[in-house]
């Protein structure tokens, strides 16, 4: 099962379309933000393989602090994989204790190039240089390259652009955007978890 938390963002159904193309056999449910806590609470004890997508959205991740305790429970459930995108990435950044701050420069609709070392190339299954599309004015700021529970962080300057762990991956950019190359590859790891 796949649940996409919709924080009132126009990209939500682009994410839905990417997931539907990549995984036709899975049921995908888009959850309005008003119902997120109820749905997440029902999944904390699930014994079925489940992908939860914390989607993008306007606003500040502080608005969703009430989701933190339930998301922490979900992170300890071995049947759940969490994928964060943009605002969802920032919500996870707050859970891991990182600061959220304004980007050094506006990033709405900007394509950037990321250079991946061999560890990140292997972890993501991608080439050394990738282009991703960003649409954010806020960012997760960290001095560290690791966070709790052995989750690795890929940074550009002080901004964390990717978190990756065994059952979690999170992007500050939009993997579903037309400006991101290898779009389907960014969804490969969470979808492989469902098989």
């Amino acid at each position: 099962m796949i649940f996409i938390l919709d924080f009132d963002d126009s990209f939500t159904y682009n994410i839905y379309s990417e997931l539907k193309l990549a995984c036709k056999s899975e049921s995908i449910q888009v959850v309005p933000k008003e119902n997120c806590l109820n749905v997440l609470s029902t999944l904390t004890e699930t014994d079925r393989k489940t992908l939860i997508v914390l989607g993008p959205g306007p606003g500040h991740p502080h608005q969703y602090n009430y989701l933190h305790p339930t998301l922490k429970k979900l992170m300890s459930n071995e049947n759940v994989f969490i994928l964060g995108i943009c605002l969802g990435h920032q919500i996870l950044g707050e859970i891991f204790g990182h600061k959220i701050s304004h980007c050094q420069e506006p990033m709405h609709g900007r394509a950037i190039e990321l250079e991946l070392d061999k560890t990140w190339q292997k972890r993501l299954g991608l080439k050394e240089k990738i282009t991703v599309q960003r649409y954010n004015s806020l960012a997760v700021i960290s001095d560290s390259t690791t966070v709790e529970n052995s989750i690795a962080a890929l940074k550009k300057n002080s901004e964390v652009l990717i978190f990756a762990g065994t059952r979690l991956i999170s992007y500050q950019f939009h993997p579903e955007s037309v400006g991101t190359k290898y779009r389907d590859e960014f969804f490969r790891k969470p979808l492989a978890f469902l098989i």
Side-chain angles (χ1 to χ4, degrees):
M1 298 190 314
I2 300 173
F3 295 87
I4 304 172
L5 307 193
D6 179 15
F7 299 116
D8 292 336
D9 195 87
S10 58
F11 282 97
T12 299
Y13 281 92
N14 292 0
I15 295 166
Y16 175 94
S17 296
E18 285 290 330
L19 291 170
K20 199 67 183 164
L21 281 171
C23 198
K24 294 177 177 65
S25 62
E26 287 294 329
S27 164
I28 303 176
Q29 182 179 339
V30 176
V31 181
K33 70 178 180 183
E34 298 78 19
N35 202 26
C36 286
L37 184 58
N38 292 335
V39 169
L40 291 177
S41 296
T42 65
L43 295 172
T44 56
E45 302 297 326
T46 188
D47 58 359
R48 186 171 173 191
K49 294 278 188 183
T50 302
L51 169 61
I52 297 170
V53 181
L54 304 179
H60 198 285
H62 288 337
Q63 295 169 245
Y64 303 98
N65 285 353
Y66 65 94
L67 296 175
H68 290 190
T70 308
L71 286 168
K72 285 179 183 177
K73 283 184 187 173
L74 286 160
M75 285 183 209
S76 65
N77 184 330
E78 294 185 1
N79 295 306
V80 172
F81 193 106
I82 295 177
L83 167 62
I85 298 174
C86 204
L87 174 65
H89 175 80
Q90 294 163 15
I91 291 169
L92 291 169
E94 280 199 323
I95 288 172
F96 298 139
H98 296 300
K99 186 172 104 175
I100 306 298
S101 184
H102 283 279
C103 296
Q104 294 175 353
E105 53 186 310
M107 285 292 169
H108 285 272
R110 288 200 44 198
I112 64 162
E113 188 172 79
L114 286 181
E115 290 192 30
L116 306 177
D117 64 25
K118 289 193 186 315
T119 302
W120 278 100
Q121 288 173 48
K122 184 177 179 182
R123 183 175 276 130
L124 298 174
L126 290 165
K127 298 181 178 187
E128 180 183 358
K129 292 185 181 180
I130 56 171
T131 303
V132 297
Q133 189 88 17
R134 292 180 66 180
Y135 293 91
N136 57 298
S137 53
L138 297 173
V140 177
I141 307 298
S142 175
D143 297 327
S144 176
T145 56
T146 58
V147 293
E148 62 187 39
N149 300 325
S150 303
I151 294 170
L154 174 68
K155 301 185 332 176
K156 186 163 187 165
N157 301 320
S158 61
E159 295 179 5
V160 178
L161 298 183
I162 304 175
F163 290 126
T166 306
R167 296 186 321 276
L168 180 142
I169 196 156
S170 184
Y171 309 119
Q172 181 56 80
F173 51 88
H174 281 250
E176 79 289 352
S177 172
V178 67
T180 295
K181 292 190 177 176
Y182 314 111
R183 291 195 311 265
D184 56 338
E185 289 297 317
F186 290 103
F187 294 99
R188 181 181 52 81
K189 185 174 179 180
L191 290 174
F193 174 81
L194 295 174
I195 298 169

